[in-house]
Amino acid sequence: MNERLGSIVDLEKYPIHDLDSSAIKDLISRCKEELNNNSCAVIKNFILPKSLMTMNKELECQLDEVYMSKEKINAYLYAKDDPSLPKENPKRIFMERFNGYLNSDCFSENSEMKFLYETDELLKFVSKCLGVSPIYRWADPLARHAYNVMEPEGILPWHFDSCEFTLSLMIQKPEKGGIFEYCPNIRSPGNENFEDVAKVISGDRERVKQLDLEPGDLQIFKGRFTLHRVTKIEGQKPRYMCIPAYVLDPYRVNTPEHSKAIYGKVLPIHYERNEKRSDGLAD
Ligand SMILES: [Fe+2]
């Protein structure tokens, strides 16, 4: 058994190191069903309280390295308008965004979160829950397991992720607001469904679901096909999350534009691997 993993994850309740145990088989089938129906599954109190404190501390020690960005952005995370598109195309709708990341390349060698992300136990467990194999850790050196920081007044508008699968680990909850909202399966490979995406962005609530995460909870999420947002942070306490990500393509990284806008810098790998997406969807 991986001893350090046992000090991070509640393995008594969730023995992810033993995929043949009946407890984990039951959990996997519950998560699989939720992911199929809702694009999203939640495992309560996945992280042990002591490890949660360690993660909180490691982030707070490096808050001055967090890249905060404030700009207007569309659901595909671009800030530039394309006037050749029809006015109603959601690519032409820009929303206020104020959000920050501690990039993965800033993490210390011994980081608790980095260690958890790099365990094969977590990767194999997530793959089973998704019913997708193989999945890979994201090759993007900045985005693969970034901490997300939302300060008071922070807001993350409606968007799609550029990686297929995201874990969200709630580290610190704000006093009010910061609610995760999502629209399951609104787009699929080869089908952007611009009409429904535009409707949601314009305020239609019919497809919108809400999720209330508590510190220590783990959410598994298909963020590339599910439009989602985080509502404005109210009160003085910032919202901290960690968002380790998994992908179908072990080679691909964020586009240079994306990396610059969201993570504040572009590395040679972003230029070298800047290729068209195989699922035909916009980033
Ligand atoms: Fe996202």
Side-chain angles (χ1 to χ4, degrees), residues 197-232:
V197 171
K199 258 197 217 166
V200 174
I201 294 174
S202 307
D204 188 296
R205 301 286 297 171
E206 211 187 308
R207 295 180 79 125
V208 178
K209 293 175 184 289
Q210 283 194 337
L211 188 69
D212 193 17
L213 288 175
E214 293 295 328
D217 293 353
L218 170 73
Q219 175 197 5
I220 308 174
F221 179 56
K222 297 185 196 173
R224 183 146 177 81
F225 313 111
T226 303
L227 190 66
H228 57 286
R229 74 168 177 179
V230 179
T231 62
K232 195 172 263 187

Side-chain angles (χ1 to χ4, degrees), residues 1-163:
M1 216 260 283
N2 182 331
E3 237 175 77
R4 189 171 176 193
L5 182 66
S7 72
I8 300 175
V9 173
D10 187 346
L11 294 182
E12 264 178 43
K13 226 168 160 185
Y14 307 122
I16 61 168
H17 60 296
D18 181 8
L19 294 179
D20 293 325
S21 65
S22 62
I24 215 69
K25 280 185 174 161
D26 289 350
L27 178 64
I28 287 167
S29 71
R30 196 255 294 168
C31 288
K32 213 175 194 174
E33 199 184 316
E34 287 180 20
L35 279 155
N36 283 340
N37 296 337
N38 262 338
S39 304
C40 180
V42 177
I43 305 171
K44 302 299 278 180
N45 297 309
F46 184 75
I47 301 292
L48 291 166
K50 202 170 161 222
S51 178
L52 203 58
M53 272 165 62
T54 305
M55 291 179 187
N56 202 325
K57 225 184 271 168
E58 73 183 23
L59 170 58
E60 289 212 310
C61 281
Q62 289 183 275
L63 279 179
D64 56 340
E65 293 172 65
V66 169
Y67 175 71
M68 294 299 304
S69 58
K70 198 172 192 175
E71 85 241 86
K72 287 201 150 193
I73 207 159
N74 70 16
Y76 309 90
L77 307 176
Y78 283 100
K80 213 171 144 207
D81 189 24
D82 180 355
S84 70
L85 295 170
K87 246 195 139 87
E88 60 280 8
N89 188 306
K91 286 185 179 176
R92 300 202 62 192
I93 307 175
F94 293 88
M95 297 158 279
E96 186 197 343
R97 177 182 178 279
F98 177 35
N99 187 54
Y101 288 107
L102 180 69
N103 297 338
S104 309
D105 67 338
C106 294
F107 282 48
S108 75
E109 234 353 90
N110 194 37
S111 151
E112 189 97 329
M113 188 57 236
K114 178 175 180 299
F115 174 85
L116 177 61
Y117 182 64
E118 287 172 356
T119 59
D120 287 340
E121 287 90 341
L122 185 66
L123 179 114
K124 285 180 189 158
F125 168 67
V126 172
S127 170
K128 286 270 184 200
C129 291
L130 289 162
V132 180
S133 182
I135 58 169
Y136 301 92
R137 292 183 194 99
W138 198 0
D140 195 294
L142 305 181
R144 57 205 320 250
H145 53 61
Y147 276 118
N148 173 232
V149 175
M150 292 180 75
E151 293 176 344
E153 297 295 301
I155 188 165
L156 196 56
W158 289 115
H159 70 281
F160 294 102
D161 292 341
S162 62
C163 54

